[in-house]
Amino acid sequence: MNLVNIDPIKCTNCTFCVRICPVKAIKLGVNQDKPEILHSRCIGCGSCFRVCPDGAISYHNSISAATALLSSNQEVAAILDPSIAAEFPDITDYRKLVGMIRLLGFSKVAEIAFAVEIVAAKFASLVDNFKGKHYLSSNCPSLVMYIEKYFPALIENLVPIASPMTAMAGIMRKHYGEHLKIVSFVPCISAKMDALRSSGIMKVDEAITFTELRELFAQKNISEVSIEYTDFDPPHGRIGSIYPIDNGFIQAAVLSEDIFSGKVFTCSGKENFINSVREFVEHPELLKHHLNIFYDKGCMMGPGMTFSNDLYHRQVLVTDYAARRASAIDKRDWQKYFVTYSAMDFSREFIPDDQRLPMPSEEQIGEILQAVGKQHSTNEHACEMCGFSSCRDLAISVAQGLSRMDACMIHSLKSKQEYIKTLRKSHDSLSKAQKQIKESEKEAHEAMLHAQETLDTLGVLIRKLPAGIVIVDQNLRIIESNPAFVSMLGEDAALIDEVIPGLKNADLKTLLPFGFYNMFKYVLTNSEDIVGKDVHLSDKLLNVSIYSIVRNRIAGAVIRDMYLPEVQKEELEKRLTEVIDQNLQMVQEIGFLLGEGASNTERMLNTLIETHRGGKKHS
């Protein structure tokens, strides 16, 4: 059973719960967005539940389990903590409250006060028969779990007597039969764990807080208006009703609280709870007292009650109620029950559940203290806003992965101030950058307007050109074309052009024959231009040049109709010029060859003449 839970949706990460937890069972480590409850470390004190401003923390609800038990055809008894006096001042008489509980379906309703007196008497006997070992009271379930988890060496110092709640469960079964199911109504959350761990004749089947009891009344629409008086079932308690006050247990045990002669100190409240155990460990021989310890300022201030800070008002309610109960109970009957049930075995055992984490090295602790600027701090100067009694304790928790350095409020504030300075610098840089961006945007806008004007001019020029112009994408869809191109395609294309000017997004494959559009595919695929290719289209002879504009993505073509008079004249002149140029080149080459041959012939003839003349002289 997870005693306490956090709803991550409701949680606003205020970290109040992290700071107030006395055993650091709520983790908020590095890279954690929301706190996480470490259930194995929890002692059920309820501080986190009380402090959460967003209602994100809840404790285990036992209403449905108790309702199911009441519907099971089994005999179920209710036992009530004497804190009812502090919880229900709105109910005029406690006997009305007893009647309301019976109406829920409980066959027996008894007060735990009688068991308080039995347990208190056994504790008094332990104190009176002192044998050198001082004890810690074991009535507060949070204390029991605290010792088991964080001071297991002190388990032998816990009073080995059942809590008043479980003791009363055993008394009820002894009195009415062991078949009885027991539901306890309690002021604290940790009592649910005490009930879960109980067994045998002292088994408490369910523990319900007084807040849950109010919910049950509301669900069943039960109020005191239609209820008659009915008293608790025996055995009745007398002075045990004073138990909800922090030293009420010592009063019930009739132990002296005299400053000089008293043997027991009562310690209540979170700080005293923690410090009393620490001092018991550090100075056992100097204290020379048993300790009666409660996490809250008495059970009447438990987290399972309707929240109120009216400590002294509640104390008066409890003392008045206890006084009335003590005077109303027949002392002879009480004595008879007391003698009978004092003989029961109420011994208990405790189970070590060591949750202590390994102590980090001094080097690690020193690094963390230095990181938060606390390397020179002492315990005396600790602000405790982080929830730790010293900066060193925070550093240890950080090293153990339970906390973060920003839990230190001073460090966090300094970091935020540095962050604000950085933000200001960033803001100044950003302002300059924004100014530059605005100027760049202005220049870009002007350039865009100029480009748009240029495009508009080019568009007009393309539309005016007599040659056909068409631009297509990689899927052979037309991006742009001019009227000359549409005219080359014929009447069908002209009709489409009336609906979709420029044949935009038209499929070129539906407008041109395979051989023609395949040239476009070739250029797009290979990024190689085709220049001056003659193509027949219907009765037209077209001269086509296709160019790659964007590699493998966009291609454009310039197409001329060779049968147009101006094109024919231009082309004829061009081609005559090409022929003349070719013939001139050929004549030049022939002349060169002829000239070279004549020169050779002349050289040969001259050689022969010279040879002939030389022969005559010799003869």
Side-chain angles (χ1 to χ4, degrees), residues 293-329:
I293 306 174
F294 292 93
Y295 185 84
D296 296 297
K297 291 285 186 179
C299 295
M300 62 186 177
M301 300 301 290
M305 302 182 70
T306 304
F307 181 71
S308 171
N309 282 322
D310 297 336
L311 170 64
Y312 300 106
H313 176 227
R314 287 188 171 186
Q315 185 167 312
V316 169
L317 291 171
V318 170
T319 53
D320 286 351
Y321 168 73
R324 292 197 304 272
R325 293 292 293 154
S327 60
I329 301 303

Side-chain angles (χ1 to χ4, degrees), residues 114 117-118 236 238 329-342:
F114 179 75
E117 294 161 348
I118 297 286
H236 301 119
R238 298 178 67 249
I329 301 303
D330 187 292
K331 191 172 182 179
R332 288 173 298 178
D333 287 343
W334 175 85
Q335 185 67 37
K336 180 181 65 175
Y337 286 130
F338 187 84
V339 171
T340 300
Y341 295 115
S342 291

Side-chain angles (χ1 to χ4, degrees), residues 486-503:
V486 176
S487 177
M488 290 176 185
L489 298 181
E491 294 180 359
D492 291 342
L495 291 173
I496 297 172
D497 184 61
E498 290 179 3
V499 180
I500 308 174
L503 305 179

Side-chain angles (χ1 to χ4, degrees), residues 96 103 223-228:
K96 288 272 190 176
L103 197 57
S223 68
E224 67 168 312
V225 176
S226 56
I227 303 296
E228 294 183 351

Side-chain angles (χ1 to χ4, degrees), residues 271-485:
E271 289 186 8
N272 292 333
F273 175 94
I274 299 294
N275 290 333
S276 62
V277 175
R278 177 182 57 79
E279 291 187 39
F280 190 86
V281 172
E282 294 175 356
H283 313 292
E285 298 306 319
L286 291 177
L287 287 179
K288 298 180 180 179
H289 281 73
H290 306 284
L291 299 183
N292 175 44
I293 306 174
F294 292 93
Y295 185 84
D296 296 297
K297 291 285 186 179
C299 295
M300 62 186 177
M301 300 301 290
M305 302 182 70
T306 304
F307 181 71
S308 171
N309 282 322
D310 297 336
L311 170 64
Y312 300 106
H313 176 227
R314 287 188 171 186
Q315 185 167 312
V316 169
L317 291 171
V318 170
T319 53
D320 286 351
Y321 168 73
R324 292 197 304 272
R325 293 292 293 154
S327 60
I329 301 303
D330 187 292
K331 191 172 182 179
R332 288 173 298 178
D333 287 343
W334 175 85
Q335 185 67 37
K336 180 181 65 175
Y337 286 130
F338 187 84
V339 171
T340 300
Y341 295 115
S342 291
M344 290 180 62
D345 180 11
F346 292 109
S347 62
R348 69 184 293 190
E349 294 181 350
F350 305 98
I351 305 169
D353 181 21
D354 198 345
Q355 295 295 323
R356 292 172 296 177
L357 296 174
M359 180 64 69
S361 67
E362 288 299 321
E363 183 180 0
Q364 286 178 293
I365 296 170
E367 287 175 355
I368 294 168
L369 286 171
Q370 186 173 9
V372 297
K374 296 290 184 178
Q375 63 269 37
H376 303 301
S377 68
T378 62
N379 290 357
E380 288 77 18
H381 294 94
C383 65
E384 300 187 21
M385 288 190 293
C386 59
F388 292 89
S389 59
S390 70
C391 299
R392 179 182 172 83
D393 288 344
L394 170 61
I396 291 170
S397 183
V398 171
Q400 292 172 334
L402 297 177
S403 304
R404 300 190 308 216
M405 286 190 288
D406 60 1
C408 175
M409 300 298 289
I410 296 173
H411 168 69
S412 183
L413 286 171
K414 286 181 179 178
S415 298
K416 286 177 180 177
Q417 288 170 354
E418 291 297 324
Y419 182 60
I420 289 170
K421 289 180 182 178
T422 304
L423 280 179
R424 283 175 179 166
K425 291 180 181 178
S426 299
H427 176 71
D428 293 340
S429 300
L430 182 60
S431 297
K432 292 178 182 178
Q434 285 177 335
K435 187 176 180 180
Q436 292 174 351
I437 288 170
K438 285 181 180 179
E439 291 174 356
S440 299
E441 285 178 347
K442 184 179 178 181
E443 292 174 0
H445 181 67
E446 291 174 354
M448 188 173 66
L449 290 175
H450 179 70
Q452 187 62 48
E453 290 175 0
T454 303
L455 285 174
D456 292 343
T457 303
L458 288 173
V460 173
L461 181 60
I462 289 171
R463 287 193 293 275
K464 296 292 185 181
L465 286 174
I469 304 294
V470 64
I471 301 172
V472 299
D473 63 16
Q474 69 268 31
N475 298 317
L476 297 185
R477 293 278 180 179
I478 294 175
I479 298 172
E480 188 69 62
S481 68
N482 68 350
F485 175 73

Side-chain angles (χ1 to χ4, degrees), residues 115-155:
V116 170
E117 294 161 348
I118 297 286
V119 172
K122 290 186 176 296
F123 176 69
S125 177
L126 200 64
V127 171
D128 291 339
N129 293 285
F130 179 66
K131 296 180 180 179
K133 181 167 69 174
H134 290 96
Y135 283 96
L136 305 172
S137 65
S138 57
N139 294 332
C140 177
S142 290
L143 175 67
V144 171
M145 287 189 282
Y146 183 59
I147 298 300
E148 289 177 333
K149 294 175 187 287
Y150 301 101
F151 294 91
L154 293 182
I155 282 180

Side-chain angles (χ1 to χ4, degrees), residues 145-215:
M145 287 189 282
Y146 183 59
I147 298 300
E148 289 177 333
K149 294 175 187 287
Y150 301 101
F151 294 91
L154 293 182
I155 282 180
E156 294 300 322
N157 295 91
L158 283 171
V159 173
I161 303 172
S163 67
M165 178 183 73
T166 56
M168 192 64 194
I171 292 168
M172 290 294 286
R173 286 197 177 93
K174 193 74 173 177
H175 192 80
Y176 295 103
E178 293 190 10
H179 66 284
L180 203 63
K181 296 293 181 182
I182 305 291
V183 173
S184 179
F185 293 99
V186 294
C188 60
I189 295 171
S190 57
K192 291 176 180 282
M193 292 302 297
D194 193 21
L196 186 67
R197 294 172 56 170
S198 63
S199 61
I201 194 173
M202 292 189 288
K203 171 70 176 173
V204 175
D205 297 283
E206 291 295 336
I208 292 183
T209 64
F210 287 136
T211 304
E212 290 173 310
L213 177 57
R214 284 187 180 275
E215 289 181 35

Side-chain angles (χ1 to χ4, degrees), residues 5 107 121 159 214 379 408 473 509 552 558 579:
N5 295 286
S107 61
V159 173
R214 284 187 180 275
N379 290 357
C408 175
D473 63 16
K509 298 192 293 294
N552 303 124
V558 179
V579 170

